[in-house]
Amino acid sequence: MLLVTGATGTVGSTVCAALADDPLEVRAGVRSPDRFDGPADEVVTFDFTDPSTYRETFEGVDSMFLVRPPALSRVRRDIAPALAAAVGAGVDHVVFLSVIGADRNRLVPHARIESWLESAPLSTTFLRASFFMQNLSTTHREEIRSGELIVPAGTGRTSFIDARDVAAVAAETLLTRTTGEYDLTGPEALGYQDVCRQLSATLEHEVTYTAPSLWRFLLHSLRTDRGLSKSLVMGGIYTTARLGLADRVTDDVSRLLGREPTALETFMEDYRGVWE
């Protein structure tokens, strides 16, 4: 039995789809089962902060795909109890969707989750993903439609990765029980001026890169009703790029999947309808 948490999310839903043809049973653990419309053998209500959901979620599970809910950052209080319940129920392999740099930045919640898992009696796979290309088609969709990309990244470069590649790696490591730590990136690191150039070449309208200061970005983000918490997280992500800390490129995706990671141009062609 494989458990997929965050199964209604960008990566989790695609992991479920990637596992659909495998004979192993897949259980989707989601807070709102009525929102889940993907493939799974079972769908259960799972909430990290509600111990009453633990037994049904973890019973009979061997391997788990773990996604941290963005709203939960207090690992010891909000996430560790569920992980302890999983270990107690017999889960012995966890594939964790982490973030690139978590091994160097011990302040991010992902680093604390990695530390907890490393001390637990189970095997682990840490997928430290770079910045998702899908953020361009979701978070920044409307501004790109209007002809702008507004992020405080300066001249920094980012090794964007397609979330579909991350999901493919997650499914592969769940099925093969491959362990280790992997930095998942796209094939190259690009500046946001390059991103806008590619968007302009793909779409039927020009897209320009606006690089405000962090303060001006936060004001803009709040005006778009993103909320303070999300705005601060985004500001931190793009500041990382601005400081030159998001441009690492690895071959981990190609080694695990036996193919090259998806190029940004391919992603844009596949998703062009969301911006037009």
Side-chain angles (χ1 to χ4, degrees):
M1 172 73 76
L2 305 178
L3 170 66
V4 178
T5 68
T8 57
T10 300
V11 177
S13 60
T14 313
V15 171
C16 286
L19 295 170
D21 296 329
D22 193 87
L24 291 178
E25 287 189 81
V26 176
R27 178 180 295 160
V30 295
R31 287 186 64 187
S32 304
D34 57 316
R35 290 181 52 209
F36 180 75
D37 59 0
D41 297 289
E42 296 179 23
V43 183
V44 298
T45 301
F46 171 58
D47 185 336
F48 281 92
T49 62
D50 184 357
S52 70
T53 66
Y54 295 172
R55 181 173 181 178
E56 184 182 15
T57 299
F58 299 126
E59 186 175 11
V61 172
D62 302 295
S63 297
M64 171 172 66
F65 178 59
L66 174 64
V67 179
R68 179 189 72 89
L72 301 184
S73 59
R74 298 180 66 176
V75 173
R76 182 177 296 181
R77 186 191 71 179
D78 296 331
I79 296 177
L83 298 181
V87 172
V91 176
D92 61 4
H93 180 221
V94 172
V95 177
F96 173 46
L97 178 58
S98 190
V99 294
I100 198 165
D103 54 326
R104 300 184 300 276
N105 181 1
R106 308 312 291 180
L107 296 178
V108 297
H110 304 80
R112 296 193 291 276
I113 294 173
E114 287 189 12
S115 179
W116 193 98
L117 291 170
E118 285 175 333
S119 67
L122 41 72
S123 61
T124 58
T125 311
F126 297 154
L127 304 182
R128 296 171 178 149
S130 188
F131 194 77
F132 290 161
M133 295 177 184
Q134 278 74 6
N135 286 315
L136 298 171
S137 61
T138 55
T139 302
H140 298 292
R141 178 181 57 195
E142 295 305 320
E143 63 194 57
I144 291 173
R145 277 180 173 176
S146 300
E148 286 185 297
L149 177 58
I150 306 170
V151 295
T155 59
R157 302 170 73 83
T158 297
S159 54
F160 297 92
I161 186 167
D162 193 323
R164 295 173 296 183
D165 289 343
V166 177
V169 170
E172 176 69 15
T173 54
L174 277 169
L175 293 172
T176 61
R177 296 177 71 90
T178 300
T179 60
E181 303 167 358
Y182 303 97
D183 287 349
L184 306 184
T185 75
E188 60 181 334
L190 297 168
Y192 288 81
Q193 192 72 48
D194 300 321
V195 172
C196 287
R197 235 180 254 118
Q198 291 187 18
L199 281 167
S200 299
T202 301
L203 306 178
E204 296 180 356
H205 64 270
E206 194 76 15
V207 181
T208 58
Y209 173 41
T210 301
S213 66
L214 177 59
W215 174 247
R216 288 186 179 276
F217 170 78
L218 291 175
L219 289 177
H220 162 77
S221 190
L222 289 170
R223 283 198 297 267
T224 58
D225 297 324
R226 286 178 180 148
L228 179 60
S229 179
K230 185 173 183 179
S231 297
L232 289 171
V233 169
M234 290 176 63
I237 289 172
Y238 289 116
T239 297
T240 299
R242 190 185 197 107
L243 296 175
L245 303 175
D247 59 356
R248 184 157 184 254
V249 176
T250 76
D251 64 352
D252 286 356
V253 170
S254 59
R255 288 195 297 111
L256 289 164
L257 297 182
R259 63 166 175 82
E260 289 300 308
T262 303
L264 188 62
E265 299 97 318
T266 302
F267 164 80
M268 289 178 180
E269 286 291 346
D270 290 347
Y271 283 79
R272 65 182 299 166
V274 306
W275 299 299
E276 294 181 339

